[in-house]
Amino acid sequence: MTGSEVAVTGRGKWLRWGLGAAGVAGIAFGLLGLPGDLGPPQLIGLLGWLAAAVVLHDGVLVALSTLAGAGLKRFTFGLGTVSQVILRATLLCGAAATLVVVPLLKAQQEVRTLTVDEGPYALALGIFWLALVVLAAAAIAAVELRLRKAARASAHAA
Amino acid sequence: MTAALHRRMDQAGRFYASPVRGTRLTVVLGRALATVFLLCFVTGVFSHLLQDPPSWMVYPLRPVWIYQLTQGVHITAGIASIPLLLAKLWSVFPNLLAWPPVRGVAHGLERASIALFVSSSLVEVTIGLINTYKWYPWPFPFRQTHYWLAWVIIGSLAVHIAVKLPLIAAHWRRPSATAAMPREGAAAAAHAGATDAAGAVATAHSTGTSVSATATGEGAVAAASPGRWSRRGFLGGVTAATTLLVVTTAGQSFAALGAFNIFAPRRQGTGPQNVPVNRTSEAAGVATAAGAADWVLRIHSRSHTRSFSRAELGAMPQATFDLPVACVEGWSQNAAWTGVPIRDLLAAIGAAPDSDLRITSLEKDGFYRQSTMPAAYSADPQTLVALALNGETLDLEHGFPARVMAPGRPGVLQTKWLADIEVLA
């Protein structure tokens, strides 16, 4: 037990054991149910998807986001904390929307069903990013201007 | 080789270190993610039970929009889980690089359960999202895989909470020391925290303990270090991303957000008679049969059979009800449906109104060409053989010449292009 953990005793111990047991039961129920509905080739396909998800996330997504963060740190060093928050939050929002819309754009090419995937998603995503960038730029400019005014005022007072 | 791998892991750990990470952040993200996953699980199991009902199933028919609500919540919560899941995984990523990777049997089992948890969660939210686009680029059946993986995920969540409970309890509330830290101390502490975060990785590697448990500058790194944002800022960013995703997609399920619906695969109010379509007549191959002049709806039990032409159905007392068509993919649309109450048709052949029914479509193939309607629905006065939609003759794409509409039922079970209704013994 490290200093940042809380000792779990009495009812807490029972809760842990109960959760653990229920969890194992749930996992077993799910894993045992799969072969009942999926044939061997489908199970292998699912395993492939499970492995690919981890590789894609750990090997690609995390690396990309870390590099992006490092790049941001280098190029925005002079910005204050609030401006950093605005900038990075903006990029997070844009990235989340892009993650959801990119497969939708692919589906638009594959699916031809009335009233499904019919929107101008590429255009919507472009306008979404534009709006994010404009709002973020305006907010950062306002914050930085206010900080500079405050710094000048305190230097003048000193 | 082991030493070389150890050094590589240390290097990777320093590369991925961030003062924003910490156990408190992980707990906060975990709370939100667990809530959303639980919502998805409960609403998803409800949907599954409606489609594959066990003998003990109780069918909630009121309010009539109950399935519209639960399935809308299911899809919206699933979409909300995407940024939360990615943020949670980011917050604990350095733990993946801890050396040695397995310290014993119990630790190995824990890591295996986390690998299963992470991979299942990533696949589940991915196929769930892409399913709403009606695109199926995978080699396994969606519905069954999605259902069983849900159990794996919720079980893994319970195990994960059980294992981490001491850490969760310790970091459930914001530490008071951080809240009381003076601003001028925060920058120095944050710098120390940034060093501590990287140092914690090295320390964890040498002692074989979890990175998150040994990050000593956790309270200090709540404030930002130069060129970075703060932990609170990160949480604010994740919240903003989650909120924006929800707002720009939930309009397919909830009319109040319809004006902001720019990223959902469906829009309310589109399609023939202002109602979206799922399976088209072309996909079902029913255009000729549905338009046949000699079409009749056959209603039969063991002892009686009657056939009704569309004109004969239209001559019977009609009822109109506002019922939502609510798809398993989360989109829904309220509409006014007019037709003959099914229980009136059952009475016409002397069958009890609370009879289980087998309903068959004109469709020759397709998983949902036949559905079973439990007695709770057939007895409901608002369950119709619908002939009109929003005051107009039912469009071919919505099931002309007749379709079933029942309250609180998934859209895939509201059979279109009716051919036959059989009273089951």
Side-chain angles (χ1 to χ4, degrees):
Chain A
M1 181 83 56
T2 67
S4 64
E5 294 181 350
V6 165
V8 177
T9 56
R11 262 187 303 181
K13 262 191 177 168
W14 283 109
L15 178 64
R16 283 186 92 182
W17 279 108
L19 271 175
V24 168
I27 293 170
F29 185 62
L31 289 178
L32 291 172
L34 279 167
D37 281 327
L38 274 63
Q42 296 169 327
L43 283 170
I44 292 169
L46 177 60
L47 276 172
W49 268 69
L50 291 170
V54 173
V55 167
L56 198 66
H57 173 265
D58 290 352
V60 178
L61 214 61
V62 173
L64 279 177
S65 65
T66 304
L67 282 170
L72 275 175
K73 184 185 166 192
R74 180 170 293 187
F75 292 117
T76 63
F77 197 83
L79 288 180
T81 308
V82 174
S83 299
Q84 288 281 355
V85 170
I86 294 169
L87 175 64
R88 287 166 186 256
T90 299
L91 291 173
L92 249 187
C93 293
T98 305
L99 210 55
V100 163
V101 172
V102 163
L104 182 52
L105 293 174
K106 178 63 182 167
Q108 259 190 330
Q109 297 170 3
E110 303 286 334
V111 176
R112 293 279 181 267
T113 303
L114 191 61
T115 72
V116 185
D117 306 341
E118 285 184 337
Y121 302 115
L123 179 64
L125 184 63
I127 294 173
F128 185 77
W129 267 105
L130 187 63
L132 282 178
V133 165
V134 165
L135 285 170
I140 290 171
V143 164
E144 293 297 312
L145 192 64
R146 200 170 160 195
L147 281 174
R148 288 202 177 106
K149 275 186 183 171
R152 268 200 299 269
S154 61
H156 192 72
Chain B
M1 180 164 158
T2 307
L5 274 171
H6 192 166
R7 276 196 304 274
R8 286 278 186 197
M9 289 302 202
D10 274 351
Q11 281 173 353
R14 279 190 289 277
F15 176 72
Y16 287 109
S18 167
V20 176
R21 288 191 178 96
T23 310
R24 167 76 184 152
L25 174 72
T26 302
V27 168
V28 170
L29 289 168
R31 265 197 317 236
L33 186 61
T35 304
V36 161
F37 270 7
L38 276 168
L39 265 177
C40 282
F41 181 72
V42 169
T43 53
V45 169
F46 177 62
S47 178
H48 180 85
L49 290 176
L50 286 179
Q51 295 175 70
D52 279 333
S55 57
W56 48 261
M57 183 67 182
V58 174
Y59 299 96
L61 275 74
R62 296 292 185 278
V64 297
W65 40 261
I66 187 165
Y67 187 74
Q68 180 183 30
L69 172 67
T70 59
Q71 202 61 6
V73 165
H74 182 78
I75 299 301
T76 304
I79 289 173
S81 74
I82 295 171
L84 290 172
L85 175 62
L86 293 176
K88 171 74 157 59
L89 291 177
W90 179 87
S91 77
V92 297
F93 184 74
N95 290 0
L96 178 71
L97 308 169
W99 193 265
V102 177
R103 297 193 299 271
V105 172
H107 184 243
L109 283 173
E110 188 203 337
R111 291 211 81 171
S113 75
I114 288 176
L116 182 64
F117 191 12
V118 169
S119 58
S120 301
S121 301
L122 288 170
V123 170
E124 185 84 330
V125 301
T126 301
I127 66 174
L129 176 72
I130 296 178
N131 168 68
T132 68
Y133 303 161
K134 290 201 77 65
W135 181 35
Y136 306 97
W138 44 73
F140 39 81
F142 167 75
R143 193 165 72 91
Q144 293 86 341
T145 306
H146 199 67
Y147 175 69
W148 294 117
L149 278 184
W151 282 100
V152 171
I153 290 165
I154 220 66
S156 300
L157 175 63
V159 167
H160 189 59
I161 293 172
V163 170
K164 301 293 184 189
L165 196 58
L167 273 176
I168 294 171
H171 296 274
W172 188 259
R173 286 191 164 76
R174 191 182 307 159
S176 56
T178 307
M181 186 173 292
R183 277 186 72 81
E184 58 271 23
H191 180 69
T195 310
D196 281 347
V201 173
T203 306
H205 286 171
S206 61
T207 60
T209 50
S210 160
V211 172
S212 56
T214 59
T216 54
E218 285 207 25
V221 302
S225 55
R228 293 185 184 275
W229 56 349
S230 62
R231 189 174 298 155
R232 199 169 286 178
F234 177 77
L235 278 173
V238 172
T239 304
T242 305
T243 305
L244 276 173
L245 269 191
V246 165
V247 166
T248 54
T249 57
Q252 64 178 339
S253 310
F254 305 109
L257 291 172
F260 307 103
N261 179 8
I262 56 174
F263 293 144
R266 303 272 194 169
R267 248 194 119 66
Q268 290 189 345
T270 56
Q273 296 172 315
N274 300 319
V275 175
V277 172
N278 204 356
R279 193 154 171 79
T280 62
S281 62
E282 183 186 347
V286 297
T288 306
D294 60 350
W295 174 87
V296 291
L297 174 62
R298 188 165 157 260
I299 315 233
H300 59 108
S301 63
R302 273 202 189 148
S303 52
H304 290 90
T305 300
R306 263 192 77 172
S307 295
F308 296 86
S309 67
R310 202 167 190 284
E312 285 168 330
L313 289 170
M316 294 179 73
Q318 304 289 294
T320 300
F321 298 109
D322 288 332
L323 295 171
V325 56
C327 184
V328 293
E329 288 141 15
W331 66 268
S332 61
Q333 176 78 61
N334 290 317
W337 304 87
T338 303
V340 183
I342 261 190
R343 63 184 192 176
D344 291 355
L345 290 170
L346 296 179
I349 62 165
D354 55 344
S355 299
D356 292 336
L357 306 176
R358 181 178 294 126
I359 299 175
T360 305
S361 166
L362 289 170
E363 201 178 337
K364 296 288 179 235
D365 301 304
F367 190 77
Y368 294 106
R369 64 176 294 272
Q370 226 176 35
S371 65
T372 302
M373 176 177 283
Y377 292 101
S378 55
D380 193 290
Q382 294 197 29
T383 299
L384 301 173
V385 167
L387 305 173
L389 168 57
N390 289 334
E392 300 171 357
T393 300
L394 200 61
D395 189 271
L396 177 63
E397 301 307 325
H398 288 304
F400 179 91
R403 73 173 293 166
V404 160
M405 275 304 297
R409 204 149 148 82
V412 287
L413 301 179
Q414 311 273 39
T415 309
K416 299 197 286 191
W417 312 294
L418 292 179
D420 187 279
I421 296 177
E422 177 188 358
V423 178
L424 300 173

